[in-house]
Amino acid sequence: MSNKMVIFADAVEAYEELCSGARALGCEPVALVVGTEDDAARVAAWGARVIFAGGIPEGALYEDCVPAFEQAIRAEQPALVLARMSKRTQCVAGRLAVRLEAPVVTDASRLTLDGDDVEASHLVYGGAAERIERVRGLALVLVGSGVFDLDEAPAAGTVERAAVSLEPGAIKLVGRQEKQEEVVDLGAAKRVVCVGRGIQSEANVHLAQEFAARIGGEMACSRPIAEGEGWMAHSRYLGVSGATVKPELYLALGVSGQMQHTVGMTESQFVVSINKDKNAPLMKQCDLGLVADVEKVLPALAAL
């Protein structure tokens, strides 16, 4: 089996965890990078051998990197291709899968290499079960953030130019419009403060945000807060069709904890739940539970 693992992402920050994951699985990270030379140098600093495909030409899309990525993967003959999951990388992985005649596994939450086999686990049926998939030979596996622990990178790697440069494809980019919704990487958060229906008002959400900022945490919410009330961005919603976190501390304020939500935080190391309903599902799963009205608790938290 090859000791190389090819990695790619559409955000530079994601490469640090992918490099750590490759080393954790006993492989040398070979990073395919599209962007600036500074981006390539930054990824190399995390201990990767970087194959730099250059910047995206005028009118081209990120997906136009596929020919360059394909040639690099064929040349490297890696044990595995690992990518950070996003809409754009899913598109790239699908195209690469056709060209390389290799399967794609998405949303992997755990990964192991066993000889020539790749074994990937991910949650199914809304988190009620875990499915383990085994692939023989080359596979493309997409993971979210927080799957691997960051390690201390060895000496900086090297940067080399890809043999194939990026060229615009059949679809031309004619304009960009900034998305109004904020973008947050909840998977990387060490402390998460999550609010549910029990938060009662948008003013209380702001109080919870102030507390989260003071403890160096990120804010998250249950689905009704994002999609029902519209008090928080969809990117901060945890659950089956939302984000997944595994922080050192998960503090739930007025979160009942239905299965559709808990699938997004089940790997948290320490769970604190504050809810006036002692029979709420999360109160039976948490490490520390406080039966209290969140509206009365928030001022006390603010005074800490």
Side-chain angles (χ1 to χ4, degrees):
M1 183 185 76
S2 170
N3 70 335
K4 299 176 186 175
M5 184 179 297
V6 167
I7 60 176
F8 68 89
D10 60 353
V12 177
E13 294 75 15
Y15 281 94
E16 183 177 13
E17 184 180 336
L18 294 176
C19 287
S20 298
R23 287 189 290 268
L25 293 168
C27 293
E28 171 201 349
V30 179
L32 308 181
V33 177
V34 173
T36 66
E37 291 185 0
D38 286 344
D39 292 336
R42 190 174 171 192
V43 176
W46 289 319
R49 179 164 65 84
V50 174
I51 298 176
F52 180 46
I56 299 176
E58 183 76 24
L61 304 174
Y62 177 78
E63 292 87 332
D64 293 329
C65 68
V66 168
F69 281 12
E70 178 195 4
Q71 182 159 339
I73 292 168
R74 290 189 183 279
E76 296 297 327
Q77 292 292 301
L80 178 70
V81 178
L82 183 68
R84 169 61 59 84
M85 188 159 172
S86 71
K87 289 182 174 62
R88 292 195 296 183
T89 56
Q90 286 182 79
C91 184
V92 169
R95 295 184 184 191
L96 286 172
V98 173
R99 290 167 174 254
L100 298 169
E101 297 184 333
V104 178
V105 178
T106 60
D107 258 342
S109 57
R110 203 163 46 246
L111 199 61
T112 57
L113 294 178
D114 181 12
D116 292 331
D117 293 356
V118 176
E119 192 169 275
S121 306
H122 59 111
L123 299 175
V124 293
Y125 305 125
E130 182 181 61
R131 181 166 67 197
I132 299 174
E133 297 175 346
R134 181 177 284 265
V135 179
R136 174 148 294 179
L138 181 66
L140 295 95
V141 179
L142 280 69
V143 297
S145 60
V147 172
F148 301 106
D149 294 326
L150 299 181
D151 64 12
E152 187 173 338
T158 58
V159 178
E160 59 192 69
R161 279 278 179 176
V164 177
S165 59
L166 271 63
E167 298 290 343
I171 300 174
K172 183 178 181 181
L173 176 67
V174 295
R176 291 181 183 273
Q177 185 173 346
E178 196 69 29
K179 191 175 181 180
Q180 297 303 309
E181 184 175 310
E182 64 178 327
V183 177
V184 59
D185 188 0
L186 285 175
K190 298 298 182 185
R191 300 178 185 89
V192 172
V193 177
C194 185
V195 297
R197 285 185 186 275
I199 200 70
Q200 300 181 43
S201 70
E202 190 170 7
N204 287 337
V205 172
H206 293 313
L207 288 176
Q209 286 174 325
E210 291 174 7
F211 175 71
R214 290 218 331 273
I215 65 171
E218 284 283 3
M219 279 292 295
C221 65
S222 60
R223 184 171 185 172
I225 298 300
E227 297 189 351
E229 303 295 346
W231 290 342
M232 295 185 69
H234 187 276
S235 57
R236 293 188 180 273
Y237 144 55
L238 302 184
V240 173
S241 56
T244 300
V245 298
K246 56 174 189 177
E248 296 170 357
L249 171 66
Y250 170 85
L251 171 61
L253 301 174
V255 177
S256 64
Q258 299 299 325
M259 184 178 66
Q260 291 87 343
H261 173 79
T262 55
V263 66
M265 48 69 64
T266 188
E267 293 192 51
S268 302
Q269 292 181 30
F270 194 85
V271 177
V272 178
S273 177
I274 301 175
N275 200 310
K276 63 182 179 181
D277 180 7
K278 67 178 181 181
N279 295 315
L282 192 57
M283 295 296 280
K284 297 178 175 63
Q285 301 175 35
C286 63
D287 298 289
L288 178 64
L290 174 63
V291 180
D293 189 334
V294 170
E295 266 200 320
K296 295 178 179 178
V297 172
L298 277 172
L301 291 177
L304 290 176

